[in-house]
């Protein structure tokens, strides 16, 4: 049983009246991995998350979660937790009271130790006895994660868990999710933030207009034959400009040649040509302080794939 994927969906379709929210969606998430879910607004992400959490049922197709076939009942198999559209919380209660009430509703009694453990895990111990009506959005997201962790789920489904987090809070949540995956928990993470998906996920599924336009390892996106714009930071920009102009397959972005920043050069190239440029810069003795895509490979692929799909509608 443990060799089965955490999620296996085949041909999932979901309609709301005349609107097709999901149209023949396939999805497979191995156990112990963090799988990203991306797509523009209206792509079907929330609907798919709702199916995984047992908040809705598919009209057709097959969905297996943690080795259990999901039927037509509004329920998820034991071991699944998470939230969609933000966690549901009682604003007049404290963080601790919210979690205690939740454990009681689940028949777990007060379980003070478990509540304290998850509050500590998400970094909310210092505000455990504060009423959450005064919490920031990021703190509410962390409390929602704590609520999901109370059951020690084998599959965690999260919708924008980094929403509203400051850099320290985001780093903390990223660490929590990475540790969970290392311990064998599967995570499905929906986010509009490409940096979150790139930092955490081993694979990603991109939806557009209810259909899967890409699903697989992030590395496959990076190896696609796409030209990307890259930011080259060097103290000898003029020399780097000459080398770039003589490198086949490298295009100098014209607007960048007029930038006031004397150390930045923008070029556009596919990966092989960019590799050649780096070799030539090193051979010419030109210092290279930074080389980074202006738009990440994931974001570039996201834009290309979703725009292409929307154009076909």
């Amino acid at each position: 049983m443990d060799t089965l994927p955490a999620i296996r969906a085949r041909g999932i379709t979901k309609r709301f009246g005349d609107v097709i929210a999901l149209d023949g969606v396939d999805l497979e998430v191995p156990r112990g991995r963090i799988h990203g879910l991306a797509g523009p607004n209206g792509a079907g992400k929330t609907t798919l998350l709702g199916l995984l959490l047992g908040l809705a049922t598919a009209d057709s197709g097959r969905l297996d979660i943690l080795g259990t076939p999901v039927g037509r009942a509004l329920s998820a198999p034991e071991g699944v937790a998470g939230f969609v559209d933000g966690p549901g919380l009682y604003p007049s209660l404290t963080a601790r009271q919210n979690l205690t009430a939740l454990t009681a509703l689940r028949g777990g009694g007060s379980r003070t130790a478990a509540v304290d453990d998850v509050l500590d895990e998400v970094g909310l111990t210092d505000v455990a006895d504060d009423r959450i009506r005064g919490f920031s959005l990021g703190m509410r997201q962390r409390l929602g994660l704590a609520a999901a962790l109370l059951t020690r789920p084998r599959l965690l489904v999260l919708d924008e868990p980094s929403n509203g987090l400051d850099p320290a809070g985001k780093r903390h949540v990223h660490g929590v999710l990475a540790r969970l995956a290392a311990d064998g928990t599967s995570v499905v993470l929906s986010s509009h933030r490409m940096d979150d998906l790139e930092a955490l996920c081993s694979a990603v599924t991109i939806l557009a207009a209810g259909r899967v336009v890409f699903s697989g390892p992030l590395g496959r996106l990076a190896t696609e034959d796409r030209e990307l714009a890259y930011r080259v930071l060097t103290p000898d920009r003029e020399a780097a400009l000459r080398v770039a102009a003589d490198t086949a397959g490298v295009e100098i972005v014209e607007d960048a040649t007029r930038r006031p920043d004397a150390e930045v050069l923008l070029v556009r190239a596919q990966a092989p040509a960019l590799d050649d440029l780096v070799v030539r810069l090193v051979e010419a003795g030109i210092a290279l302080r930074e080389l980074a895509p202006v738009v990440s490979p994931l974001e570039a692929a996201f834009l290309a794939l979703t725009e292409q799909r929307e154009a076909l509608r």
Side-chain angles (χ1 to χ4, degrees):
M1 184 70 71
D2 288 342
T3 61
L4 295 174
I7 298 169
R8 177 177 285 157
R10 293 291 182 267
I12 295 296
T13 299
K14 180 66 178 179
R15 290 179 172 85
F16 296 99
D18 295 332
V19 177
I20 302 176
L22 297 174
D23 189 4
V25 167
D26 293 341
L27 176 67
E28 189 156 313
V29 178
R31 300 199 181 214
R33 301 292 180 87
I34 303 178
H35 191 98
L37 188 62
N41 293 333
K45 302 186 303 298
T46 300
T47 301
L48 181 55
L49 295 180
L51 295 180
L52 298 179
L53 287 170
L55 303 176
T57 60
D59 295 326
S60 61
R62 180 182 175 91
L63 176 60
D64 296 326
I65 298 178
L66 299 176
T68 301
V70 176
R72 295 292 179 259
L74 290 177
S75 63
E78 185 178 353
V80 180
F83 56 81
V84 178
D85 288 333
L89 302 166
Y90 298 103
S92 62
L93 300 182
T94 67
R96 191 191 308 279
Q97 288 169 339
N98 264 275
L99 297 183
T100 300
L102 186 57
T103 57
L105 286 172
R106 291 171 175 168
S110 61
R111 295 185 63 192
T112 301
V115 168
D116 289 344
D117 286 345
V118 295
L119 285 169
D120 180 65
E121 194 166 357
V122 301
L124 292 178
T125 299
D126 290 345
V127 293
D129 296 311
D130 293 351
R131 298 185 189 278
I132 67 166
R133 63 162 52 98
F135 278 19
S136 66
L137 175 59
M139 292 168 68
R140 288 170 181 262
Q141 293 294 92
R142 290 161 80 173
L143 184 57
L145 176 58
L149 295 179
L150 277 172
T151 60
R152 294 301 167 190
R154 291 178 289 151
L155 172 62
L156 189 59
V157 179
L158 301 173
D159 187 14
E160 301 285 356
S162 295
N163 195 15
L165 292 178
D166 60 23
K170 184 169 75 168
R171 183 177 182 180
H172 189 108
V173 168
H174 282 194
V176 171
L177 297 180
R179 287 193 296 273
L180 288 170
D183 291 338
T185 299
S186 306
V187 181
V188 174
L189 171 66
S190 174
S191 180
H192 284 102
R193 296 187 59 94
M194 299 298 112
D195 55 342
D196 281 345
L197 299 181
E198 288 179 314
L200 288 168
C201 301
S202 57
V204 65
T205 293
I206 300 176
L207 293 175
R211 291 189 176 182
V212 174
V213 294
F214 175 85
S215 190
L218 288 173
R220 269 179 50 198
L221 286 172
T223 58
E224 298 281 345
D225 293 332
R226 292 190 183 89
E227 283 191 348
L228 293 179
Y230 292 88
R231 181 176 184 269
V232 181
L233 181 62
T234 172
D236 195 348
R237 182 179 179 279
E238 292 304 316
L241 182 61
R242 289 192 294 271
V243 172
D246 290 336
T247 304
V250 174
E251 174 192 355
I252 298 168
V253 180
E254 290 298 328
D255 288 344
T257 63
R258 296 188 289 272
R259 289 170 60 107
D261 189 339
E263 294 189 342
V264 175
L265 173 67
L266 294 186
V267 299
R268 186 181 300 277
Q270 293 183 6
L274 186 71
D275 293 341
D276 189 24
L277 173 60
V278 172
V279 171
R280 289 169 176 261
L281 290 172
V282 173
E283 289 177 344
I286 299 171
L288 185 61
R289 293 177 177 171
E290 179 184 322
L291 177 64
V294 175
V295 176
S296 73
L298 175 57
E299 185 170 352
F302 172 89
L303 292 172
L305 291 168
T306 56
E307 288 172 358
Q308 178 182 15
R309 179 62 192 168
E310 289 294 329
L312 294 175
R313 295 186 70 178

